[in-house]
Amino acid sequence: MTNPLAIYFHWPFCQSKCPYCDFNSHVWREIDQRAWRRALISELDFYAMQTQGRTVRSVYFGGGTPSLMPTKTVKALIEAIHNRWGLAACEEITLEANPSSSETLKFKALKEIGINRLSIGVQALNDDALTFLGRAHSSKEALEAIDRAANTFDKFSFDLMYGLPNQSIGSWRSALRRALSIANGHLSLYELTIEPGTEFFKHNIKGVTDKESANMFEMTRAMMADAGMPAYEVSNHAKPGHESRHNLNYWRGGDYLGIGPGAHGRITISNQCIATHQIHNPVRWLKKVSLIGHGTAKHRNLSPYERALELIMTGLRTREGIDMAYLEILTGLTRNRLINPSRLSHCIEAGFLKNSGNILTATEVGIIRLNSVLETLLVADTQYAGGATVETGQ
Amino acid sequence: MINGPSMNTDKKTDLCRIRNFAIIAHIDHGKSTLADRMIQTCGGLTEREMKQQVLDSMEIERERGITIKAQTVRLEFKAADGEIYILNLMDTPGHVDFTYEVSRSLAACEGSLLVVDATQGVEAQTLANVYLAIDNDHEIVPVLNKIDLPAAEPDRIKQQIEEVVGIDTDGAMQISAKTGRGVNAVLQRLVESLPAPTGNANAELKALLVDSWYDPYLGVMILVRVRDGILRKGMKVRMMATGAVYQIERVGYFTPKKMIVEQLNPGEMGFVTAAIKNVADTSVGDTITEEKRPARTPLAGFKPSVPVVFCGLFPTDTGQYDDLRDSLEKLHLNDASFHYEAESSAALGLGFRCGFLGLLHLEIIQERLEREFDLDLITTAPSVIYRIHMRSGDRRELHNPVDMPDPTEIEYIEEPWIKATVMVPDEFLGAVLQLCEERRGKQTELTYVGHRAMAVYRLPLNEVVFDFYDRLKSISRGYASFDYELEDYTSSELVKVSILVNEEPVEALSFIVHEKHAEPRGRIICEKLKGLIPRQLFKIAIQAAIGGKIIARATVGAMRKDVTAKCYGGDITRKKKLLEKQKRGKKRMRQFGNVEIPQTAFLAALKTSD
Ligand SMILES: Nc1nc2c(ncn2[C@@H]2O[C@H](COP(=O)(O)OP(=O)(O)OP(=O)(O)O)[C@@H](O)[C@H]2O)c(=O)[nH]1
Ligand code: SF4
Ligand SMILES: [Mg+2]
């Protein structure tokens, strides 16, 4: 089978650690760039052996802060993909960038080596908020980065956060208005969530109240739709044609390789989907890769029901929803075995879900409560059988 | 403390050198501590074997510092006349729930040692126990304890005892069970003041079955008091009430160590074992006689204990039902005073309906189940026994609100009333009276003694089994004491309040209450549940109803926003795990209409519900 492929690279380093961040990101004084370049290529090779002949549709450099990667490394990785699979069918190569001036200066070089989409971690457009969020850049740098991205790339996106403590819906509205005036075709708008293990969590920082959070979410979606950049996923908004292909692939249940410490992947080989997970800790990952060529901590066969679960979970987050016919083909299970029909009709009657033909989508009122809807829809059934786990490494 | 039994060569003691007495007092006035000192003084245990409240052998007794089960010890005391006397001491519990233990101990003795805490004075159980002693024609020897404490006011308390209890305190000794001061003198006084037992060794055997329990080594043990005749090892005996015949295997007594002897003579107390399988096969208060030479009439005996408070016990984890059943069976071997039978509930699954002597008893059994048997339990609201008089002429006893018949078929309902005695310092009297009035109490007596008042009320028991005792303690800052006895059944305007979640009744939360209190109680439960049930996709209606009539309601609003902000490659696994965790959590959920409610919400509603 020749499913198309997406490739994700994880670069786990940042200039400083943001107090809300629970990603696999670390601040290192020294990085052995040569060793890291080699290791990433080596792991890419390891997965290339298992996916020869596939078509790579998108590549994504995430992190951490991949804009801190030496351009040489990015280039080497893109070339490696070109050599292993070819890049003719690759529509999108995204790199996440932080807007500090040194990184902004690299935009042009990045474009030259093949990056065609940028995702900028702006997070806020005023300095107070940026300070609160512990970001290393100023609002001026953010605007410059956006400006330069607009002049360099056809497609770029930037991230903003809302629901910061004491933020009013009015101030968020005006921030969003400003963002729209400088956006290109894509915005990722996230509500601040306090994750365990972060500085914010430790200091018991609380975002806005549940009510304000709901109001902001609804307002955001309405405003973005009016501006011609409707949400195509819970937190992602784009003009038609500007959607992130790479991310859509996740939500549609496509295959992807996860390269680098802590990266996750899904690879389907002769109809069996395998979930892969690389060693989380960067030191251990690097050591393992230099030893055996890859740093896989775990790979595990997903059962058809698990596959379905993932797809329903992510698919309902998107505007396009899930194609139940496709889901049936993919899993070999009938839709009634995947979703309890009485629970489904219950959610439809209540207005949380919508069914037209084979397509199941979450409505506006459904999306905002999607976790509860999913719980109602999926959790009560115990037909899920689990998959065999094969542990390697570590 | 009590290891394997030892042998003792039999010495026959003259009746005139035996004294049998119970130590009685209000809770914590120092009965068990005094027993310790007496055991020590008489050399029943060595220094090394001694520990505080040595007779409180159950773990829960030691932990809570209270006596639950009466204990009997045989002491040898060398009196002033140079003779050795046999003293059979019975340490009794002070808490009102275990009054039954006191009554049967008293039936086995000729006298009572009344202990009064010299810092506290006469309390409700002091009074109640003295009355019991008087009913048993006991000689009462009062002592003032804890005089080592600076707050002790022996003279004032003496006067109080005379006034309130009405017994002579002229010669009342002042002692400290803690330091041992005066203990020797008390023993001497007991020898002098208490009557020796009477009995005829040649007559047919008559022994009172005082208590029975299960011992892991010796099996079922029976505590007896021999009145007439001789109880010998190997003898075939008949239980006069049940008719059962057993062969006595062992005869002995506690020092508190188990000592094995050949026989027990008139006036003596001790234990016997026979091949008895179940504690339930022995009926306390029964008379044991010799099979081949039976007595003609049994001893007076006493009434069996009756449970007055009922509740449901359910395992939190439905898989623990069998464990719960086994544990109840085992516990019952040692405490036949609680009852249990299987029950099933929509909200809580399979469990048991249990009857107890009171709230403390309930709490203790629940705690023992949880601790000794490692169970996690839900206890439903306690209830009393109602008498339902049906239009058809039938009369039913209702132990569980769930079984309440349709109101249209009911002629009237009677509920149990108690006579409650509250002793309280003046300053708190107002609050106590108000509490009693709120609980539908009717005052029958109010007397003052110095700065203390004694209020006697008629109260419905169902108003007391909720949080009466806790409230009483809190409004009097711990100074009020309380005692009660069941008086009668009286017809009342009682209704069953059902709690509905999304129109479906949660039977485990239903309760029976006086019409007047239905609405406020219903409202409290609705509000409580509202705070306990997490918001969900759908609005949840919580209602309290009498029949079809809604008397209170609360609403848990629907969840407005509940969506994860980020879900990319790596987050998918995490999110799926979360869903799976919720799935496991679902086992502890109960379905009501289209919503699922965590069992923990019911648990919490029941825990705090008054
Ligand atoms: N200072 C002092 N404390 C005493 C004396 N006698 C008993 N106590 C303390 O009073 C508390 C209660 O004593 P217990 O002997 O358990 O009282 P009890 O009457 O057996 O209590 P229940 O069995 O629960 O009714 C314990 O903390 C004892 O240490 C005494 O003479 N002096
Ligand atoms: S820059 Fe991004 S990845 Fe790095 S610490 Fe901040 S939020 Fe985390
Ligand atoms: Mg005691």
Side-chain angles (χ1 to χ4, degrees):
Chain A
M1 202 170 148
T2 53
N3 301 20
L5 212 55
I7 300 177
Y8 174 82
F9 290 104
H10 192 79
W11 184 253
F13 305 112
C14 292
Q15 220 162 24
S16 54
K17 182 83 182 175
C18 305
Y20 57 86
C21 173
D22 73 333
F23 301 147
N24 189 12
S25 66
H26 307 265
V27 182
W28 280 16
R29 233 175 316 146
E30 252 169 72
I31 298 161
D32 182 345
Q33 295 294 357
R34 237 169 68 102
W36 275 87
R37 185 157 54 239
R38 272 210 210 132
L40 288 168
I41 291 175
S42 153
E43 199 163 65
L44 185 72
D45 277 342
F46 171 73
Y47 281 114
M49 286 187 299
Q50 304 169 41
T51 53
Q52 263 165 8
R54 304 258 190 117
T55 314
V56 173
R57 284 270 173 77
S58 65
V59 178
Y60 197 101
F61 293 90
T65 311
S67 52
L68 294 175
M69 274 170 105
T71 314
K72 191 176 163 191
T73 304
V74 183
K75 184 167 180 243
L77 290 169
I78 295 176
E79 273 169 7
I81 295 172
H82 177 75
N83 296 334
R84 308 316 184 256
W85 293 273
L87 281 168
C90 183
E91 295 152 340
E92 184 183 289
I93 305 181
T94 307
L95 183 133
E96 285 179 345
N98 271 346
S100 73
S101 33
S102 59
E103 291 153 73
T104 308
L105 290 174
K106 286 190 194 162
F107 286 1
K108 209 155 163 264
L110 289 169
K111 161 108 192 230
E112 277 160 13
I113 59 169
I115 301 294
N116 61 12
R117 184 173 178 273
L118 217 55
S119 169
I120 312 173
V122 169
Q123 314 309 354
L125 290 169
N126 78 70
D127 287 323
D128 287 347
L130 286 171
T131 311
F132 170 76
L133 292 171
R135 301 292 294 176
H137 63 268
S138 64
S139 60
K140 187 162 161 277
E141 283 176 300
L143 294 175
E144 277 166 14
I146 292 167
D147 191 49
R148 194 174 286 257
N151 291 326
T152 316
F153 296 99
D154 294 335
K155 283 181 179 175
F156 75 92
S157 171
F158 60 92
D159 297 355
L160 287 179
M161 286 170 84
Y162 64 93
L164 310 192
N166 300 319
Q167 187 180 36
S168 70
I169 192 159
S171 81
W172 169 236
R173 187 184 291 114
S174 48
L176 199 51
R177 212 173 275 138
R178 270 183 78 200
L180 277 168
S181 72
I182 49 176
N184 160 280
H186 193 286
L187 280 177
S188 297
L189 308 169
Y190 300 108
E191 182 183 354
L192 171 67
T193 357
I194 310 298
E195 301 290 351
T198 61
E199 280 299 301
F200 277 177
F201 187 85
K202 233 184 276 168
H203 294 103
N204 202 19
I205 301 284
K206 295 266 182 295
V208 291
T209 64
D210 292 352
K211 196 173 143 197
E212 287 167 319
S213 148
N215 289 343
M216 285 183 181
F217 185 83
E218 281 166 0
M219 189 275 284
T220 303
R221 289 176 74 87
M223 206 165 139
M224 293 305 288
D226 283 350
M229 285 172 74
Y232 68 102
E233 192 259 0
V234 172
S235 305
N236 286 283
H237 308 260
K239 276 184 197 154
H242 279 254
E243 298 87 357
S244 162
R245 309 237 13 150
H246 184 85
N247 289 340
L248 275 175
N249 180 64
Y250 292 140
W251 303 323
R252 289 170 176 166
D255 274 10
Y256 53 99
L257 303 183
I259 312 289
H264 286 259
R266 296 284 184 276
I267 313 166
T268 309
I269 296 171
S270 41
N271 258 329
Q272 172 63 57
C273 181
I274 303 161
T276 65
H277 184 197
Q278 308 311 110
I279 295 165
H280 198 82
N281 180 294
V283 181
R284 290 218 306 259
W285 176 84
L286 189 63
K287 210 182 252 165
K288 194 77 181 185
V289 179
S290 20
L291 234 81
I292 62 165
H294 66 100
T296 312
K298 208 174 184 181
H299 63 89
R300 175 172 190 284
N301 290 348
L302 296 183
S303 69
Y305 186 71
E306 266 182 300
R307 272 293 266 160
L309 207 64
E310 292 191 351
L311 233 143
I312 296 166
M313 238 168 52
T314 55
L316 287 179
R317 292 175 66 86
T318 64
R319 185 181 52 209
E320 62 189 31
I322 27 182
D323 183 337
M324 295 302 289
Y326 169 66
L327 201 61
E328 288 183 330
I329 294 168
L330 190 76
T331 60
L333 296 169
T334 62
R335 60 192 74 183
N336 285 356
R337 285 215 49 201
L338 293 171
I339 298 177
N340 179 327
S342 79
R343 286 171 168 266
L344 176 64
S345 54
H346 187 61
C347 287
I348 292 173
E349 276 159 35
F352 298 131
L353 296 177
K354 207 169 54 200
N355 204 355
S356 61
N358 282 321
I359 308 295
L360 186 69
T361 47
T363 62
E364 282 297 297
V365 287
I367 285 247
I368 193 172
R369 307 168 171 84
L370 192 62
N371 291 350
S372 300
V373 174
L374 286 170
E375 217 187 298
T376 306
L377 207 59
L378 301 173
V379 165
D381 299 309
T382 44
Q383 44 192 307
Y384 152 65
T389 303
V390 183
E391 308 264 352
T392 65
Q394 294 313 289
Chain B
M1 104 192 157
I2 296 164
N3 302 320
S6 328
M7 293 299 282
N8 197 358
T9 47
D10 279 355
K11 308 178 281 231
K12 211 165 142 214
T13 312
D14 270 342
L15 276 174
C16 66
R17 281 203 292 278
I18 298 177
R19 299 289 183 275
N20 297 316
F21 67 98
I23 310 182
I24 56 172
H26 188 72
I27 311 154
D28 276 353
H29 281 199
K31 297 176 289 293
S32 301
T33 309
L34 180 55
D36 286 353
R37 290 297 88 73
M38 291 181 158
I39 292 165
Q40 238 170 352
T41 305
C42 298
L45 290 174
T46 64
E47 209 59 48
R48 196 174 49 82
E49 291 166 322
M50 198 63 210
K51 57 184 171 189
Q52 275 177 34
Q53 285 111 32
V54 68
L55 297 182
D56 291 344
S57 51
M58 268 189 263
E59 188 189 24
I60 198 154
E61 291 183 310
R62 303 207 59 82
E63 223 162 74
R64 292 181 171 229
I66 55 166
T67 304
I68 295 168
K69 199 138 176 75
Q71 297 288 347
T72 309
V73 188
R74 169 161 159 159
L75 305 172
E76 295 189 356
F77 175 65
K78 187 164 182 191
D81 59 9
E83 295 286 347
I84 304 278
Y85 284 79
I86 298 297
L87 305 180
N88 286 306
L89 167 164
M90 298 185 87
D91 179 26
T92 66
H95 194 278
V96 58
D97 280 11
F98 308 112
T99 301
Y100 183 68
E101 289 277 316
V102 183
S103 328
R104 61 185 180 193
S105 301
L106 295 182
C109 302
E110 286 79 34
S112 288
L113 177 59
L114 173 67
V115 179
V116 182
D117 184 331
T119 67
Q120 304 244 305
V122 175
E123 296 286 0
Q125 267 81 40
T126 313
L127 212 57
N129 289 337
V130 166
Y131 291 151
L132 282 176
I134 293 172
D135 283 349
N136 280 275
D137 296 324
H138 272 198
E139 190 63 42
I140 299 171
V141 176
V143 293
L144 294 152
N145 189 28
K146 304 197 187 179
I147 52 152
D148 58 297
L149 293 174
E153 297 177 87
D155 293 328
R156 191 176 69 77
I157 304 300
K158 263 189 187 174
Q159 198 190 336
Q160 194 194 34
I161 297 174
E162 298 221 344
E163 285 173 31
V164 185
V165 188
I167 57 175
D168 184 17
T169 56
D170 268 353
M173 277 175 285
Q174 304 187 8
I175 65 163
S176 166
K178 190 172 176 187
T179 66
R181 177 175 156 191
V183 171
N184 211 66
V186 174
L187 291 166
Q188 179 63 32
R189 170 69 57 86
L190 289 167
V191 168
E192 289 163 10
S193 307
L194 299 189
T198 52
N200 180 356
N202 301 318
E204 299 88 29
L205 175 67
K206 269 189 191 177
L208 181 66
L209 198 166
V210 183
D211 194 6
S212 62
W213 65 93
Y214 185 82
D215 179 283
Y217 301 105
L218 302 181
V220 174
M221 298 185 77
I222 293 176
L223 182 70
V224 294
R225 159 68 201 270
V226 181
R227 295 280 182 199
D228 288 317
I230 291 170
L231 185 53
R232 282 196 186 82
K233 178 181 165 188
M235 187 183 252
K236 254 206 174 132
V237 296
R238 171 189 294 275
M239 310 289 185
M240 291 183 78
T242 63
V245 175
Y246 297 104
Q247 177 149 20
I248 301 293
E249 286 176 341
R250 292 185 197 83
V251 178
Y253 54 77
F254 303 100
T255 69
K257 287 184 273 192
K258 294 189 192 86
M259 305 296 290
I260 299 291
V261 291
E262 284 299 312
Q263 63 186 58
L264 288 171
N265 303 312
E268 292 189 320
M269 295 175 70
F271 66 82
V272 296
T273 66
I276 303 172
K277 288 220 182 56
N278 206 325
V279 176
D281 297 337
T282 63
S283 143
V284 293
D286 202 349
T287 302
I288 301 173
T289 191
E290 192 178 357
E291 157 81 338
K292 68 169 192 258
R293 196 161 72 101
R296 238 162 301 146
T297 50
L299 298 164
F302 31 78
K303 285 180 293 194
S305 68
V306 280
V308 289
V309 178
F310 289 79
C311 74
L313 289 180
F314 294 86
T316 325
D317 176 352
T318 45
Q320 282 196 329
Y321 173 79
D322 289 335
D323 296 343
L324 175 57
R325 193 195 45 225
D326 294 348
S327 310
L328 281 168
E329 252 166 42
K330 285 206 185 101
L331 258 194
H332 198 253
L333 284 179
N334 258 318
D335 181 355
S337 59
F338 78 89
H339 293 195
Y340 65 99
E341 61 184 57
E343 176 182 10
S344 93
S345 143
L348 305 174
L350 286 177
F352 292 89
R353 189 77 188 162
C354 303
F356 304 93
L357 301 174
L359 278 189
L360 179 68
H361 189 212
L362 183 162
E363 205 180 293
I364 280 167
I365 295 289
Q366 181 197 352
E367 198 176 316
R368 289 185 68 184
L369 286 168
E370 296 200 322
R371 277 212 318 218
E372 295 170 28
F373 300 95
D374 198 23
L375 295 167
D376 206 358
L377 298 177
I378 298 177
T379 314
T380 65
S383 160
V384 302
I385 305 177
Y386 299 95
R387 286 190 190 146
I388 315 276
H389 296 260
M390 307 292 289
R391 286 194 196 283
S392 65
D394 273 6
R395 201 186 84 174
R396 297 186 191 171
E397 297 221 319
L398 186 78
H399 296 211
N400 189 345
V402 173
D403 303 325
M404 179 89 143
D406 190 301
T408 57
E409 296 171 21
I410 297 174
E411 182 82 38
Y412 63 97
I413 306 174
E414 287 181 314
E415 64 175 330
W417 283 69
I418 58 170
K419 178 181 156 200
T421 307
V422 182
M423 316 258 322
V424 64
D426 275 358
E427 46 192 314
F428 305 115
L429 181 64
V432 169
L433 297 185
Q434 196 190 334
L435 176 67
C436 291
E437 299 292 332
E438 277 170 16
R439 301 297 169 98
R440 298 190 279 138
K442 297 194 173 71
Q443 199 181 91
T444 53
E445 214 180 306
L446 184 61
T447 35
Y448 291 88
V449 192
H451 294 299
R452 283 178 82 80
M454 183 177 90
V456 180
Y457 265 85
R458 251 176 79 72
L459 275 162
L461 183 60
N462 89 347
E463 298 285 345
V464 173
V465 298
F466 290 110
D467 62 344
F468 185 82
Y469 196 63
D470 290 341
R471 295 268 299 125
L472 186 69
K473 285 280 167 198
S474 86
I475 59 174
S476 68
R477 283 200 248 122
Y479 284 112
S481 62
F482 165 75
D483 184 72
Y484 74 86
E485 55 188 298
L486 277 177
E487 220 166 36
D488 56 16
Y489 270 78
T490 308
S491 119
S492 293
E493 299 307 312
L494 294 164
V495 290
K496 173 180 164 184
V497 177
S498 309
I499 302 297
L500 304 124
V501 171
N502 277 0
E503 318 266 302
E504 288 205 26
V506 183
E507 284 294 359
L509 295 179
S510 64
F511 54 96
I512 290 172
V513 69
H514 192 267
E515 204 176 45
K516 193 169 75 177
H517 293 160
E519 198 185 310
R521 288 258 171 84
R523 201 175 316 121
I524 289 171
I525 297 234
C526 288
E527 284 304 318
K528 208 171 274 166
L529 272 177
K530 178 181 170 175
L532 290 166
I533 298 176
R535 283 177 188 274
Q536 297 179 32
L537 264 185
F538 305 96
K539 199 167 71 178
I540 301 168
I542 305 163
Q543 296 167 313
I546 301 172
K549 191 174 135 236
I550 306 299
I551 55 167
R553 71 180 81 229
T555 308
V556 179
M559 164 89 66
R560 259 199 78 195
K561 177 168 179 282
D562 174 27
V563 59
T564 310
K566 296 192 178 181
C567 189
Y568 300 102
D571 307 311
I572 295 174
T573 306
R574 204 174 0 159
K575 208 162 172 266
K576 193 176 61 190
K577 277 191 185 143
L578 202 77
L579 268 174
E580 274 157 18
K581 208 169 112 198
Q582 286 167 332
K583 181 184 284 187
R584 266 176 267 130
K586 282 279 151 155
K587 287 201 190 130
R588 295 198 153 193
M589 300 287 245
R590 300 289 184 249
Q591 179 95 32
F592 286 91
N594 54 13
V595 300
E596 268 147 345
I597 295 172
Q599 192 182 273
T600 48
F602 297 119
L603 178 69
L606 287 166
K607 271 247 161 80
T608 50
S609 82
D610 40 354

